[in-house]
Amino acid sequence: MKFIHTSDWQIGRTFRFADDDTLGALQAERLEVIRRLGLLARQEGAAHVLVAGDVYEHETPAERTLHQPIERMREFTDIQWHLIPGNHDADLPEGVWARLARSGLPENVTVHREPGPVLMDAAHNAWILPAVLKRRHILTDLTAYMDEAETPPDALRIGLAHGSVVGFGGEAESEHNPVALDRARRAGLAYLALGDWHGFCQIDARTIYSGTPETDRFTTGGGGGGESVVVTLHGPRAEPEIKRCKTGRYTWKKLDDVVLTSEQDILALDARIRSIAPDNSAAVLVWAAVSGLLSVDDMAFYESTILKRLSGAVACLRLTGTPQLSAGLDDMDRFGSGGAVRAAAEQLLAQSESGGAEGQLASEALQRLFLFWQEMGAQAG
Amino acid sequence: MILTDLQIEGFRRFAAPVRLDGLGPGLNVLAAPNEAGKSTLLTALKAVLMVRSSSKAKPVKDLQPYGGGAPHVAVSFSWKGMDCHLEKQFISKAFTRLILGGERFEGDQAEEALRTLLGLEEASKGEAAGLWNALLVGQGESFVQPDLNQTGQDSLRSCLEHGVEHATGGAAASAVLSRVRDRLYLLQTAKSGQPTGKYKQALEQETQAQTHLQDLQNRRAALEEDLAALDQARRSLREQEDPERKAQDEAELLALRQLRDKLRVADAEEQAARAALATVTHTRNSIRDEQERRQERLETQRRLEREAAAMQHDLQALTQRTAQARQRYEDSRTEREQAEQQQQAARQALLAVSRRATVSQQRAALERGRQTLHRAEAACTRLEQARAALAALRVDEALIRRVRKAVREQDAAQAALHARATRLTVTLLPEATGRVLLDGAACPQGETVLTQAADVQVEGIGQFRITPAVKDHDEALTAAETARQQLQSVLQSAGCQSAEDAETLFEERRQAETRVAEARAAFVASLPTARDERDTTLFEALATLRQELTDQSAALAREEEAFERDCLPELAGEHAVQTATDASVQALQQQARQEEDCAARAADEARQAERTAQVAYNAAQNLQEKAEAALRQKQTERDQVGRELAVSHARESDEALASRAAETAQAQTQAEAHVQALKAGRETEQPLSVVETRITRREQGLENARTSIARLREEIRERETRVRVAEGDGLDEKIAEAGRTAARLKLECEGYERERAALALLDQTLSDAEKTQTERYLAPLVRTMQPAFSTVFPGASLEMDTGFGLCGLTRRTAEEFGKLSDGTREQIAVLVRLGFAELLHARQSPAILVLDDALSFSDSQRLELMFDVLADAATRFQILVLTCRAEVFARLGGRPLSLRPIPQITERR
C-alpha cells in the first residue's frame, strides 16, 4: 500500500515583499506543484494522495482560486485525492468545503468533513481516519476519537489530521488544534499524516509532517519545505517506509546579519547568493539583512554588483537595511581642490557626520552627489 | 578687436550693396534718420559673427530682402595687430570665408575658427548666442538687462575665474545642479515643491489602495457579521421548528383553556351574589336617605318661619323711618320755594336800581352833548366874524407885489438919474459956514449930487453956476417922473397914501388870515366827530350834532317816563328818582346787589337741604322695599318646604318607611353572608385574569414562533444570498492582495520621499555653494563696472546676481532693478554691457560694443555722463553707436560713419 502525503498547499497565498511579476510566478507555482504531485504519484505507483489540511490560504477564496486546485486534481483521474480542512480553510457552515460541496466535486477527490473511519482502499483493507476542523481554532484534540474508532481487523488505519503535536513545538500555536504526541500508538495507526508545519518534520516513525510541497516563506523551519512524502505501508504493524521527494521549484533563503565593509564582502555576498542554486538562480528568493560601512567607491560597487546585477539574477532579492556611506575628506578631493561642488560636498559631509535623521539624509544626498559627479566624469571622459 | 570695414548686400532693406564708411578704433557714430537701415546693419553684423551660413532657420530666412536674394555680408577687422576678414553668404550658395592674418579658412572650418575666436558655442539652430548677444545691442534691447545664456555666463565666468584664486568648478556646479534638478523635478514641481510625476502617482495610488483595503475590510466585517447572524438564525430556526416543543406548548394551552372555562362559571356565580347584595344595599341606602331628607326639610321649615317673623318686625320699623324721612323732605322743599321767591324779589329790586342808574347816566351824557354843541356854535360864530374882517382888507398878496414893483422901478429911475449927475464936493473952513450958499440954502459939507444946474453963492465972493453935463438927462428925468406916477396910481387903486401904508395894510391882512385859520381850527376841535376840514363837512357835522342831541333828549324823556311807570312804585321813599343823586344810586345798587347775593345763598342752602332730605328718603324707601322682598322670598321658601313635606307624607308615611328600613337591613345581612361564603370557596383557585393572561401569552408565543420561523427563513435566505455573493468575490484574497499593494506603495512612496528629500537637500546645498562661489567671482566684474557706474550714478554701489544680472542699485537705499525708471534701467543696462566688454577686453578676448538707438530715455545731464563713460571706454575697445538723433549725439564726438552704396562687395580671395 503506497500513497503520497502532502499538506499546506495554501492556494491563494500572497507575498507582500514580492513585486507583481514575482508574485504571479510564485502563485502559479503553487498550483503547478499539484501537477507535480500527481506525476509523482503515478511515478511511484501510488493510487492515493493525502492532503493534510490547508489546501486554501483563505476562508473565502475567489471562485477561480476555489476551483483551480480541484481542477488540477480532476485531471489525474487515476489518483484518489483525500482532503481535510485545515486551520486556514476550516469546515465552516459557509466555508470553502460547503461551497465546493454545493458546486460538486470530481469523483477522484474526497473531502473528509466528518470524523470517522472511511474505507480508502478495499484491496489493502486501508481505512482513513480524518480529523475535521470545524473552526479555525479548536482546543480539543480532534484525533482523540481515533483511539476508539472501529475498523475491521487487520485494517491499515491511516490518520489524517491538521494541528500541532502537543509537547513538540512548545510554541503558543500548539495550544490550538492540538494533536497528542503518541496518537499513532494509542490509536493503533499505521501512519499519522499531519499538516500545519511547512517544513518536513518527523515526530516518530509513524507520525510525520510532510511540509508544504512548494516553499512559501523564508523561515519555514524543519526540513525547509518544498518536499512531499511517499509512504509505503507493508502492514498494520510494520513501520512505514518513508521517502522524501522534492516537489518545490523555488528556493527561499534568508541571510541574517550580512555586514559589508569592503569590496571583498560585497563579492562574497554575491557569490554566496549565486551559489544557492548555481544553475538556476532565477528560482532563488533571498532575504538579506544588510548593514556595514562602505567607502564611496565600494558603495558604487555595491550598487552595481548587488542592487543592479544580483537583483536581476535572482527571482527576488529582498534587502533590509543598507550599508552606510563612509566618506572622508580624502573623498572630497574627487571634486577638485575648490569650487562650488566641493563646497557643497563638504557641507553635506559635515551634516552627515552629525548623525540622526538629518545626518542620514545628508549622507544620502552626498552619495547622490558622488554618483552624479561620477556620471559626469564618465561622460566627460 | 577693431572693425575696419563692413559691406552688405541682399540684406533686408539693402538689396543693393552698401558699405559702412569711416570705421576705425575708438568711438564710431552712425547718425542716420529712421528707416536708414541702422538696425539692418546690426542684424548683418550679428549674422556674420554668430549665425552659421548653412543655417536654414526662420530667423535666417528673415534676413532676405523683400524681393528675395542671398544675404551677403563681408566684415574686416584687426585682432591683435592681425588683419582679418570674414565673409558669409546665406540661404543660396551659402559660404563662409575667414582670413586670420596669413591663415585662411572656408566653410565649416571657417565657422569653427570664428567660434573659437569669439568664444561662441553652438546654441539653437546655428545661432551661437554667447556673450556677443549682450554686446551687440539692438533697438529696444538697450533698457533690458542682457539675458545671458549658459555660454554667455560661462564666458564671463571664465573671464572672472581667471582672477579668483581657488575658484574653479562653477560651471561644473551648474552642470551637477542641472542634473540634480532634472532628477528632482521628476519627483517634485519646480515652483511649489509639490510631489509630481511618479511620486505623486504613487501617493495617489497609495491613498487609493488604502481606501480600497479599508473598503474590503469593511466588506469582510459585513461578511463575518452575516456569517455569525446566519449561524444564529439557523440555530434559532431549529429550536423554533422542534415538533416536541410545539406539541407540549399546545397541550399546555388546552389545559389552560379548560381551567379558564371552569373559573369563568365560578366567577359568574360570585358576580350574581355580589349583584344581589348591591341591590339590597342600594335599597337600604335610599330608605335611609329618604328618612334623612324628611328630617332635614322639617328643620328647614321651622327655621324659615322663625326668620320670616323676625323680618316682619324689622319691616315695620323701616316703614316708620321712611314716613319720617318723607316728612323731612317735604318740609325742606317748602323752605326751598320760599328762599327762591325771596331771591326773585331781590333780583327785581337790583334790576330797578340798575335801570335808574342808567337813566341818570344818559341824562349826564345829554348834558355833556349840549355843552359840546354850545361850544361848537360859538366857534362857528367866531370863524364867520374873522372871515368878514379878512374880506374888508383889500391889500392882498398880488396888490402888494404890484406896489413893491412900482417902488423898485421908481428907485431904479432915481438911481439912474443920480448916476449920471454931477458931484459937487465942498469942504468948508469952520469960519466959512453960512457964508457959502447952494441954490440959496447953506451949502452942505461933503459931496452933493447935482442933477440940474445949481448956483453956488459965496459971501463976499460972488455966485457960481454949475450945469451938469449929463447925457440923456431929460430922458432920465422923464423916466423918473413916469415911475413916480405909476407908483401913485397903484397906491390909489389900493386906497393907500404911500407904500408904507400899503405894507401896513398887507401886514394886517396877513394877521386876519391867521385869525381865520385859528378860528377854523377851534371850530374843528369843538366838533367831536369831524376830522375832514372841508367847510361843508364841518357845518354838516355841526348840524348832525345838533340833531343827535335833539334825538337823545327825546329818548331820555321816553326812558324817564317808562322808568317812572315801571319802577317808581317799587322804589318808594328815599329811592325816588327825582331825589336820587349818582352817589346815592351807586350805594343803592351796591345794597341791592348784596341783598340779592344773600337771597341766592339762602336759596342754594335750601336746595342742598332738600336734596339731602330727598336722598335720605329714597334710601329709607329702598331699604323698606328690600325688606319687603326678602320677607316675600322667605315666605315662598317656607311654603315650598311645607308642600314637599306634605307630598312625601302623602306617598309614604314615616311609620311605613321605618318598617321597610328594618326589612332591607335584614336582607342585606343575608346577601353579605352569601357572598362571603362564595369568596371563601374560591380563595385557593388561580385568578381568572392570570390564567387568561397566560393563555394569551401562550397563544402569542405560538403565533410569534410562526412569524419568527417565517422571518428566520427569510433572513437565512437573505444572508445566504449575501454570503454566496461575497464568498464568490474571494474577499480574503482580495484583502491580502490589497494589503500587499498598499504596503508596496507605501514603501515606494517612502523611497520616493527619501530620494526627493536627498535631492532637494543636494539642490539646496549646491545652489548655496554655487551662489557663494559666484559671489566671489562677481567681485571682479563689479570692480570693473564700478567706475563707469560711479560716473553716471555718483555714490551708487552695484549688486549682481549669480546670472550676472544687476539685481539692485544702492544709492541711499537699496532699489530693485525692475522698479527703477526706464531711463535709469536703460543706462544701467548699457553700463552692464560696457562692463562685460571691459572684462573681455581685460582678458584680451575680442570685444566690441554696438549700441543701436540706445539711451533714448536719458535726460541731457545723464546723457552727457554716459557720453563721458562711452568715450572713456572707447579708448580701450571699439564702440559703434547707431542713432537717429544726430544733433544729440553730435556731442558724443567720435568718428562719423556713413552708409555708401558700392557697385559690389569687395571680395578677398
PDB file of all heavy atoms in Angstrom, chain A residues 188-205:
ATOM      1  N   GLY A 188      -3.501   3.012  17.372  1.00  0.00           N
ATOM      2  CA  GLY A 188      -3.119   1.881  16.537  1.00  0.00           C
ATOM      3  C   GLY A 188      -3.029   2.248  15.078  1.00  0.00           C
ATOM      4  O   GLY A 188      -3.474   1.518  14.194  1.00  0.00           O
ATOM      5  N   LEU A 189      -2.500   3.427  14.812  1.00  0.00           N
ATOM      6  CA  LEU A 189      -2.426   3.881  13.440  1.00  0.00           C
ATOM      7  C   LEU A 189      -1.164   3.342  12.788  1.00  0.00           C
ATOM      8  O   LEU A 189      -0.097   3.305  13.414  1.00  0.00           O
ATOM      9  CB  LEU A 189      -2.370   5.423  13.399  1.00  0.00           C
ATOM     10  CG  LEU A 189      -3.575   6.151  14.009  1.00  0.00           C
ATOM     11  CD1 LEU A 189      -3.344   7.672  13.947  1.00  0.00           C
ATOM     12  CD2 LEU A 189      -4.869   5.787  13.291  1.00  0.00           C
ATOM     13  N   ALA A 190      -1.310   2.946  11.545  1.00  0.00           N
ATOM     14  CA  ALA A 190      -0.129   2.527  10.784  1.00  0.00           C
ATOM     15  C   ALA A 190       0.680   3.760  10.427  1.00  0.00           C
ATOM     16  O   ALA A 190       1.900   3.755  10.343  1.00  0.00           O
ATOM     17  CB  ALA A 190      -0.572   1.803   9.524  1.00  0.00           C
ATOM     18  N   TYR A 191      -0.067   4.886  10.222  1.00  0.00           N
ATOM     19  CA  TYR A 191       0.621   6.120   9.836  1.00  0.00           C
ATOM     20  C   TYR A 191      -0.293   7.293  10.209  1.00  0.00           C
ATOM     21  O   TYR A 191      -1.510   7.230  10.026  1.00  0.00           O
ATOM     22  CB  TYR A 191       0.876   6.125   8.328  1.00  0.00           C
ATOM     23  CG  TYR A 191       1.675   7.322   7.842  1.00  0.00           C
ATOM     24  CD1 TYR A 191       3.074   7.345   7.975  1.00  0.00           C
ATOM     25  CD2 TYR A 191       1.046   8.416   7.254  1.00  0.00           C
ATOM     26  CE1 TYR A 191       3.802   8.434   7.520  1.00  0.00           C
ATOM     27  CE2 TYR A 191       1.772   9.494   6.801  1.00  0.00           C
ATOM     28  CZ  TYR A 191       3.153   9.521   6.931  1.00  0.00           C
ATOM     29  OH  TYR A 191       3.875  10.587   6.496  1.00  0.00           O
ATOM     30  N   LEU A 192       0.300   8.341  10.745  1.00  0.00           N
ATOM     31  CA  LEU A 192      -0.488   9.554  11.024  1.00  0.00           C
ATOM     32  C   LEU A 192       0.079  10.680  10.150  1.00  0.00           C
ATOM     33  O   LEU A 192       1.195  11.172  10.374  1.00  0.00           O
ATOM     34  CB  LEU A 192      -0.409   9.935  12.506  1.00  0.00           C
ATOM     35  CG  LEU A 192      -1.112  11.231  12.909  1.00  0.00           C
ATOM     36  CD1 LEU A 192      -2.588  11.236  12.484  1.00  0.00           C
ATOM     37  CD2 LEU A 192      -1.025  11.445  14.427  1.00  0.00           C
ATOM     38  N   ALA A 193      -0.685  11.032   9.101  1.00  0.00           N
ATOM     39  CA  ALA A 193      -0.243  12.087   8.168  1.00  0.00           C
ATOM     40  C   ALA A 193      -0.702  13.434   8.713  1.00  0.00           C
ATOM     41  O   ALA A 193      -1.897  13.670   8.857  1.00  0.00           O
ATOM     42  CB  ALA A 193      -0.842  11.839   6.793  1.00  0.00           C
ATOM     43  N   LEU A 194       0.298  14.285   9.022  1.00  0.00           N
ATOM     44  CA  LEU A 194      -0.054  15.560   9.646  1.00  0.00           C
ATOM     45  C   LEU A 194       0.239  16.745   8.715  1.00  0.00           C
ATOM     46  O   LEU A 194       1.135  16.671   7.873  1.00  0.00           O
ATOM     47  CB  LEU A 194       0.755  15.746  10.935  1.00  0.00           C
ATOM     48  CG  LEU A 194       0.353  14.858  12.110  1.00  0.00           C
ATOM     49  CD1 LEU A 194       1.297  15.112  13.293  1.00  0.00           C
ATOM     50  CD2 LEU A 194      -1.091  15.122  12.528  1.00  0.00           C
ATOM     51  N   GLY A 195      -0.519  17.770   8.937  1.00  0.00           N
ATOM     52  CA  GLY A 195      -0.269  19.036   8.233  1.00  0.00           C
ATOM     53  C   GLY A 195      -0.217  20.162   9.237  1.00  0.00           C
ATOM     54  O   GLY A 195      -0.633  20.002  10.391  1.00  0.00           O
ATOM     55  N   ASP A 196       0.297  21.322   8.824  1.00  0.00           N
ATOM     56  CA  ASP A 196       0.374  22.582   9.604  1.00  0.00           C
ATOM     57  C   ASP A 196       1.783  23.115   9.611  1.00  0.00           C
ATOM     58  O   ASP A 196       1.995  24.304   9.466  1.00  0.00           O
ATOM     59  CB  ASP A 196      -0.120  22.436  11.046  1.00  0.00           C
ATOM     60  CG  ASP A 196      -0.518  23.797  11.631  1.00  0.00           C
ATOM     61  OD1 ASP A 196      -0.696  24.743  10.810  1.00  0.00           O
ATOM     62  OD2 ASP A 196      -0.653  23.945  12.851  1.00  0.00           O
ATOM     63  N   TRP A 197       2.756  22.212   9.793  1.00  0.00           N
ATOM     64  CA  TRP A 197       4.150  22.642   9.698  1.00  0.00           C
ATOM     65  C   TRP A 197       4.519  22.718   8.228  1.00  0.00           C
ATOM     66  O   TRP A 197       4.223  21.810   7.459  1.00  0.00           O
ATOM     67  CB  TRP A 197       5.085  21.638  10.401  1.00  0.00           C
ATOM     68  CG  TRP A 197       5.040  21.775  11.907  1.00  0.00           C
ATOM     69  CD1 TRP A 197       3.944  21.780  12.669  1.00  0.00           C
ATOM     70  CD2 TRP A 197       6.158  21.908  12.775  1.00  0.00           C
ATOM     71  NE1 TRP A 197       4.260  21.927  13.978  1.00  0.00           N
ATOM     72  CE2 TRP A 197       5.636  22.018  14.093  1.00  0.00           C
ATOM     73  CE3 TRP A 197       7.546  21.945  12.607  1.00  0.00           C
ATOM     74  CZ2 TRP A 197       6.458  22.161  15.209  1.00  0.00           C
ATOM     75  CZ3 TRP A 197       8.354  22.096  13.723  1.00  0.00           C
ATOM     76  CH2 TRP A 197       7.801  22.220  15.006  1.00  0.00           C
ATOM     77  N   HIS A 198       5.212  23.808   7.858  1.00  0.00           N
ATOM     78  CA  HIS A 198       5.516  23.965   6.439  1.00  0.00           C
ATOM     79  C   HIS A 198       6.836  23.308   6.026  1.00  0.00           C
ATOM     80  O   HIS A 198       7.131  23.218   4.851  1.00  0.00           O
ATOM     81  CB  HIS A 198       5.498  25.457   6.055  1.00  0.00           C
ATOM     82  CG  HIS A 198       4.113  25.993   5.906  1.00  0.00           C
ATOM     83  ND1 HIS A 198       3.757  26.884   4.939  1.00  0.00           N
ATOM     84  CD2 HIS A 198       2.976  25.729   6.595  1.00  0.00           C
ATOM     85  CE1 HIS A 198       2.478  27.170   5.042  1.00  0.00           C
ATOM     86  NE2 HIS A 198       1.978  26.479   6.062  1.00  0.00           N
ATOM     87  N   GLY A 199       7.598  22.875   7.026  1.00  0.00           N
ATOM     88  CA  GLY A 199       8.823  22.145   6.706  1.00  0.00           C
ATOM     89  C   GLY A 199       8.633  20.676   7.112  1.00  0.00           C
ATOM     90  O   GLY A 199       7.866  20.368   8.034  1.00  0.00           O
ATOM     91  N   PHE A 200       9.297  19.769   6.396  1.00  0.00           N
ATOM     92  CA  PHE A 200       9.185  18.345   6.741  1.00  0.00           C
ATOM     93  C   PHE A 200       9.615  18.153   8.185  1.00  0.00           C
ATOM     94  O   PHE A 200      10.611  18.715   8.645  1.00  0.00           O
ATOM     95  CB  PHE A 200      10.086  17.516   5.807  1.00  0.00           C
ATOM     96  CG  PHE A 200      10.169  16.085   6.200  1.00  0.00           C
ATOM     97  CD1 PHE A 200       9.196  15.176   5.773  1.00  0.00           C
ATOM     98  CD2 PHE A 200      11.192  15.606   7.017  1.00  0.00           C
ATOM     99  CE1 PHE A 200       9.269  13.844   6.137  1.00  0.00           C
ATOM    100  CE2 PHE A 200      11.263  14.270   7.398  1.00  0.00           C
ATOM    101  CZ  PHE A 200      10.297  13.387   6.947  1.00  0.00           C
ATOM    102  N   CYS A 201       8.822  17.282   8.893  1.00  0.00           N
ATOM    103  CA  CYS A 201       9.160  17.058  10.293  1.00  0.00           C
ATOM    104  C   CYS A 201       8.658  15.681  10.704  1.00  0.00           C
ATOM    105  O   CYS A 201       7.476  15.374  10.569  1.00  0.00           O
ATOM    106  CB  CYS A 201       8.527  18.140  11.149  1.00  0.00           C
ATOM    107  SG  CYS A 201       8.987  18.000  12.874  1.00  0.00           S
ATOM    108  N   GLN A 202       9.563  14.883  11.176  1.00  0.00           N
ATOM    109  CA  GLN A 202       9.167  13.527  11.593  1.00  0.00           C
ATOM    110  C   GLN A 202       9.115  13.487  13.109  1.00  0.00           C
ATOM    111  O   GLN A 202      10.122  13.672  13.786  1.00  0.00           O
ATOM    112  CB  GLN A 202      10.169  12.498  11.065  1.00  0.00           C
ATOM    113  CG  GLN A 202       9.753  11.081  11.398  1.00  0.00           C
ATOM    114  CD  GLN A 202      10.407  10.062  10.486  1.00  0.00           C
ATOM    115  OE1 GLN A 202      11.364  10.369   9.767  1.00  0.00           O
ATOM    116  NE2 GLN A 202       9.909   8.825  10.518  1.00  0.00           N
ATOM    117  N   ILE A 203       7.895  13.233  13.644  1.00  0.00           N
ATOM    118  CA  ILE A 203       7.727  13.214  15.096  1.00  0.00           C
ATOM    119  C   ILE A 203       8.186  11.859  15.647  1.00  0.00           C
ATOM    120  O   ILE A 203       8.920  11.762  16.609  1.00  0.00           O
ATOM    121  CB  ILE A 203       6.256  13.465  15.482  1.00  0.00           C
ATOM    122  CG1 ILE A 203       5.745  14.763  14.828  1.00  0.00           C
ATOM    123  CG2 ILE A 203       6.070  13.501  16.999  1.00  0.00           C
ATOM    124  CD1 ILE A 203       6.445  16.019  15.270  1.00  0.00           C
ATOM    125  N   ASP A 204       7.682  10.813  15.016  1.00  0.00           N
ATOM    126  CA  ASP A 204       8.181   9.464  15.328  1.00  0.00           C
ATOM    127  C   ASP A 204       8.078   8.628  14.055  1.00  0.00           C
ATOM    128  O   ASP A 204       7.789   9.203  12.979  1.00  0.00           O
ATOM    129  CB  ASP A 204       7.410   8.839  16.507  1.00  0.00           C
ATOM    130  CG  ASP A 204       5.920   8.715  16.230  1.00  0.00           C
ATOM    131  OD1 ASP A 204       5.547   8.514  15.038  1.00  0.00           O
ATOM    132  OD2 ASP A 204       5.117   8.844  17.174  1.00  0.00           O
ATOM    133  N   ALA A 205       8.245   7.343  14.164  1.00  0.00           N
ATOM    134  CA  ALA A 205       8.284   6.516  12.966  1.00  0.00           C
ATOM    135  C   ALA A 205       6.994   6.590  12.163  1.00  0.00           C
ATOM    136  O   ALA A 205       7.000   6.516  10.941  1.00  0.00           O
ATOM    137  CB  ALA A 205       8.573   5.052  13.358  1.00  0.00           C
TER     138      ALA A 205
END
